[in-house]
């Protein structure tokens, strides 16, 4: 009887409803779909612009870390490395040039750029060259692995920072979303198709394809998602459009 009564009391305790109300996400901290002007009018530019620039600077540094680790680079950097082998330009200058060419592809897609798009096109390329000049490739295998892992994690932080600033996508991200919108294909399919083509072309031109390239493709999404809750700048939701007859 005692054991049965104890079990009943335990069962009653375990089914007692939690008096605390469920936590609801702050709607201001979600990513909004904003046009170029709405991005600027959404407020908190004193916070968002420095966060955007910090994210882009860290992005350029993370690119340099992966290059110096010599274990492979980001998918788009395979193309950048390949092109840099055949033109009299630095790696960073190639990054900027490819970004401009990708932006031209936005025109038929009718994809409007934002402040973050323009900054992304220029800042990363300007940062990566001095970062490469400052870094040296580690001699030990452990040092190269550590530099690779650090570059991957830092890139996840950097991506979350510039996305969380909500000032427009980068040139390559905008190409993916624009193609997905125009074709009706899934974003995953479009991104995979573009990056496979970019890696193949870059490898044929002499770019470095390695373990870091594969790890980046697998991990950058989860890493960015993990850091986004701490980097999305809270914005007031855009006003709802008046309905017809209102």
């Amino acid at each position: 009887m005692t054991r049965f009564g104890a079990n009943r009391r335990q069962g009653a305790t375990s089914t007692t409803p939690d008096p605390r109300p469920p936590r609801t996400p702050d709607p201001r901290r979600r990513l909004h779909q904003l046009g170029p002007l709405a991005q600027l009018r959404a407020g908190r530019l004193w916070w968002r612009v420095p966060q955007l620039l910090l994210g882009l600077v860290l992005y350029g540094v993370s690119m340099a870390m992966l290059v110096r680790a010599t274990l492979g680079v980001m998918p788009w950097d395979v193309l950048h490395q390949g092109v840099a082998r055949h033109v009299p330009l630095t790696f960073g200058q190639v990054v900027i040039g490819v970004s401009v060419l990708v932006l031209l592809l936005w025109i038929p897609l009718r994809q409007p750029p934002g402040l973050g798009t323009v900054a992304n096109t220029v800042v990363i390329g300007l940062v990566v060259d001095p970062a490469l000049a400052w870094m040296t490739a580690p001699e030990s295998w452990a040092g190269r692995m550590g530099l690779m892992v650090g570059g991957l994690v830092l890139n996840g932080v950097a991506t979350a920072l510039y996305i969380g600033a909500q000032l427009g996508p980068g040139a390559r991200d905008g190409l993916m979303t624009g193609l997905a919108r125009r074709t009706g294909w899934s974003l995953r399919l479009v991104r995979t198709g573009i990056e496979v083509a970019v890696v193949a072309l870059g490898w044929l031109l002499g770019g470095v394809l390695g373990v870091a390239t594969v790890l980046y493709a697998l991990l950058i999404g989860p890493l960015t998602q993990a850091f986004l809750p701490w980097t999305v700048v809270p914005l007031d939701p855009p006003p709802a459009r008046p309905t017809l007859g209102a």
Side-chain angles (χ1 to χ4, degrees), residues 57 59-70 73 77 80-81 84 89-95 124-137 147:
V57 169
Y59 197 102
V61 173
S62 69
M63 288 171 62
M65 292 172 67
L66 292 176
V67 171
R68 288 293 181 241
T70 64
V73 291
D77 284 349
H80 299 149
Q81 281 187 331
L89 298 173
T90 66
F91 182 78
Q93 290 168 347
V94 170
V95 171
I124 293 176
L126 293 178
V127 170
V128 70
D129 277 343
L132 284 171
W134 176 70
M135 294 182 194
T136 56
L147 194 60

Side-chain angles (χ1 to χ4, degrees), residues 177-236:
T177 56
L179 280 173
R181 187 183 68 253
R182 298 286 289 181
T183 61
W185 298 341
S186 70
L187 190 60
R188 178 180 301 177
L189 177 62
V190 172
R191 175 167 184 166
T192 301
I194 291 177
E195 294 197 349
V196 167
V198 164
V199 168
L201 178 58
W203 180 74
L204 291 173
L205 292 173
V208 178
L209 173 63
V211 62
T213 311
V214 178
L215 289 176
Y216 184 88
L218 294 175
L219 297 178
I220 190 58
L223 283 172
T224 302
Q225 188 66 40
F227 292 120
L228 266 177
W230 287 274
T231 61
V232 175
V233 180
L235 301 178
D236 294 329

Side-chain angles (χ1 to χ4, degrees), residues 21-209:
R23 295 180 62 184
T24 57
D26 186 350
R28 299 180 307 162
R29 296 193 68 89
R30 66 181 179 86
L31 293 174
H32 299 283
Q33 295 293 330
L34 303 175
L37 291 179
Q39 293 166 10
L40 298 177
R41 293 171 179 169
R44 294 184 175 87
L45 291 178
W46 57 271
W47 178 353
R48 295 162 62 208
V49 172
Q51 176 173 311
L52 168 70
L53 296 177
L54 175 61
L56 297 179
V57 169
L58 294 180
Y59 197 102
V61 173
S62 69
M63 288 171 62
M65 292 172 67
L66 292 176
V67 171
R68 288 293 181 241
T70 64
L71 293 170
V73 291
M74 304 177 196
W76 277 94
D77 284 349
V78 178
L79 176 62
H80 299 149
Q81 281 187 331
V83 172
R85 290 178 178 269
H86 301 276
V87 296
L89 298 173
T90 66
F91 182 78
Q93 290 168 347
V94 170
V95 171
I96 295 174
V98 171
S99 297
V100 172
L101 292 177
V102 172
L103 275 180
L104 294 178
L105 297 177
W106 284 32
I107 297 175
L109 297 175
R110 297 180 181 178
Q111 181 89 346
L115 174 63
T117 309
V118 178
N120 188 299
T121 301
V122 178
V123 174
I124 293 176
L126 293 178
V127 170
V128 70
D129 277 343
L132 284 171
W134 176 70
M135 294 182 194
T136 56
E139 297 181 359
S140 67
W141 175 258
R144 294 165 62 194
M145 288 290 293
L147 194 60
M148 179 193 71
V149 172
L152 290 172
V153 174
L154 183 61
N155 190 265
V157 174
T159 303
L161 282 170
Y162 86 73
I163 290 177
Q166 306 200 60
L167 285 167
R172 294 153 186 80
D173 294 331
L175 176 63
M176 297 174 194
T177 56
L179 280 173
R181 187 183 68 253
R182 298 286 289 181
T183 61
W185 298 341
S186 70
L187 190 60
R188 178 180 301 177
L189 177 62
V190 172
R191 175 167 184 166
T192 301
I194 291 177
E195 294 197 349
V196 167
V198 164
V199 168
L201 178 58
W203 180 74
L204 291 173
L205 292 173
V208 178
L209 173 63

